[in-house]
Amino acid sequence: MINVEITDDFDLEKIAESGQCFRWQPIEDGGYRIIHRDKCLCIWKDSLESALTDGDRSDAVESAFADGDRKGALGHADIYRLDCTEEEYRDIWSSYLDMDEDYRNIREKIDPELDPFLFEAAEHERGIRILKQDPWEALISFIISQNRNIPAIKASIEKLCERAGEKCFDSRGEVYYTFPTPAAIASMSDELLAECKLGYRDKYVRRAAEDVVNGSLDIGLIDTGSDDDVLKGLTGLYGVGKKVASCMLLFGLHHLNAFPVDVWIKRVLETEYSKGYPFDDYSPYNGVYQQYMFAYYRNRTEE
DNA sequence: AGGCAGGCTTTTA
DNA sequence: TAAAAGCCTGCC
């Protein structure tokens, strides 16, 4: 168990509810269990007070930033408790959580006078980050996502993992399943795949898995060339249109300028930006702002 | 070539 | 019953 000090925008619940990841699970004491590749992390936000009284803080706390001490001294800092080693945090989780990116800086580029809607959205959704998820998992997850709401997506993905993923145990002894490899999905029977309730998308998922197994799709080589080239390559896949390809770009390949347009964002563009959206002004962070608007508009209209 | 209608599985609200 | 982080096919 380690403590990590985070000074940048970072909100576990907002990330979990943002719709970019589908396997973050709320656990006891307001924490979350995160599965990434074959690893599992339990993370809790601690109050600064409890961390201070909990033994020697200076030894226990690892700064999330190279200049964390300076930022921590100026602004506020939060302490998080993670059930991993310092090495695992440095090598895996800090990268997965995109801790090298300064989201506060990205957020503060928004001019409240020029773009009050985006400013309001970003203020409201402050704490969202763009995770560096496994590309294969992101591709399949967003193929599954099409024409379904988020609870339904989560249910299908969890069923898929239970049936074809690897069974593991977290630090609390709870079971978790890894996201299935292409080979594991390709070898599923029709009956087993049908149990995941993918509907008409099951053939897309199976095809993607088969394409990787037979070598016609190399996930490691997808991200080569210009953004347009990568997008073109992705939309060539069966069941992958512009929207799913954009999600793969943003959430699987971490192109922060990718801008997925789904039914919610379409409404935002129609109602709030009928005279056009200034993509050029927001490059290369269009995808980050998209996440603020997506979450904000969705939360607001679901009230 | 590019656009549009219709169909598609199942869950959620 | 309509809508859901859409896409494919067939047709024009």
Side-chain angles (χ1 to χ4, degrees), chain A residues 30-275:
Chain A
Y32 282 87
R33 192 185 71 179
I34 303 164
I35 301 162
H36 175 55
R37 303 186 192 275
D38 61 331
K39 301 288 186 190
C40 179
L41 176 75
C42 293
I43 178 170
W44 297 267
K45 181 178 180 178
D46 274 354
S47 68
L48 189 57
E49 290 72 26
S50 72
L52 279 167
T53 56
D54 185 18
D56 186 352
R57 180 181 162 232
S58 61
D59 277 354
V61 173
E62 172 176 353
S63 174
F65 291 94
D67 57 346
D69 290 340
R70 184 176 57 80
K71 283 186 176 177
L74 289 174
H76 86 116
D78 291 313
I79 305 295
Y80 287 82
R81 190 156 41 89
L82 289 66
D83 71 340
C84 66
T85 64
E86 305 278 358
E87 290 71 26
E88 280 178 342
Y89 178 72
R90 276 202 305 273
D91 297 343
I92 299 169
W93 300 109
S94 140
S95 165
Y96 171 81
L97 297 168
D98 200 21
M99 298 313 297
D100 291 329
E101 193 73 64
D102 185 342
Y103 281 81
R104 177 166 47 193
N105 180 50
I106 295 174
R107 179 170 50 78
E108 288 177 348
K109 290 178 188 298
I110 302 164
D111 185 337
E113 303 293 326
L114 286 176
D115 198 337
F117 178 79
L118 178 56
F119 182 81
E120 175 73 17
E123 283 297 307
H124 196 267
E125 301 301 332
R126 177 161 47 90
I128 289 181
R129 309 176 71 80
I130 308 296
L131 304 170
K132 287 182 176 166
Q133 302 185 67
D134 176 64
W136 166 249
E137 176 173 346
L139 176 62
I140 297 303
S141 295
F142 284 97
I143 287 176
I144 289 174
S145 79
Q146 60 185 261
N147 205 22
R148 301 216 297 171
N149 52 32
I150 288 173
I153 300 164
K154 289 179 177 174
S156 274
I157 291 176
E158 213 48 47
K159 287 193 175 78
L160 186 66
C161 294
E162 287 168 8
R163 280 158 185 75
E166 193 180 332
K167 187 176 187 176
C168 302
F169 295 90
D170 67 20
S171 68
R172 309 168 305 157
E174 298 279 323
V175 172
Y176 71 93
Y177 293 88
T178 61
F179 193 86
T181 62
I185 292 179
S187 68
M188 292 174 80
S189 67
D190 288 340
E191 292 74 19
L192 200 61
L193 194 56
E195 289 177 13
C196 302
K197 307 295 182 185
L198 304 181
Y200 64 89
R201 307 162 195 78
D202 57 2
K203 53 186 181 290
Y204 305 152
V205 170
R206 184 181 291 285
R207 177 77 72 84
E210 289 171 350
D211 286 350
V212 171
V213 170
N214 70 29
S216 65
L217 171 59
D218 188 331
I219 299 293
L221 288 180
I222 274 187
D223 194 6
T224 51
S226 68
D227 278 23
D228 278 348
D229 288 342
V230 182
L231 204 65
K232 212 166 288 180
L234 287 168
T235 50
L237 299 172
Y238 188 45
V240 177
K242 193 171 180 184
K243 192 274 173 180
V244 171
S246 301
C247 286
M248 171 63 171
L249 260 188
L250 179 57
F251 304 122
L253 303 175
H254 208 69
H255 288 223
L256 293 185
N257 208 36
F259 191 89
V261 179
D262 73 310
V263 291
W264 297 96
I265 291 296
K266 192 174 173 188
R267 286 171 200 155
V268 168
L269 295 180
E270 285 167 356
T271 59
E272 307 293 334
Y273 299 96
S274 55
K275 290 187 287 185

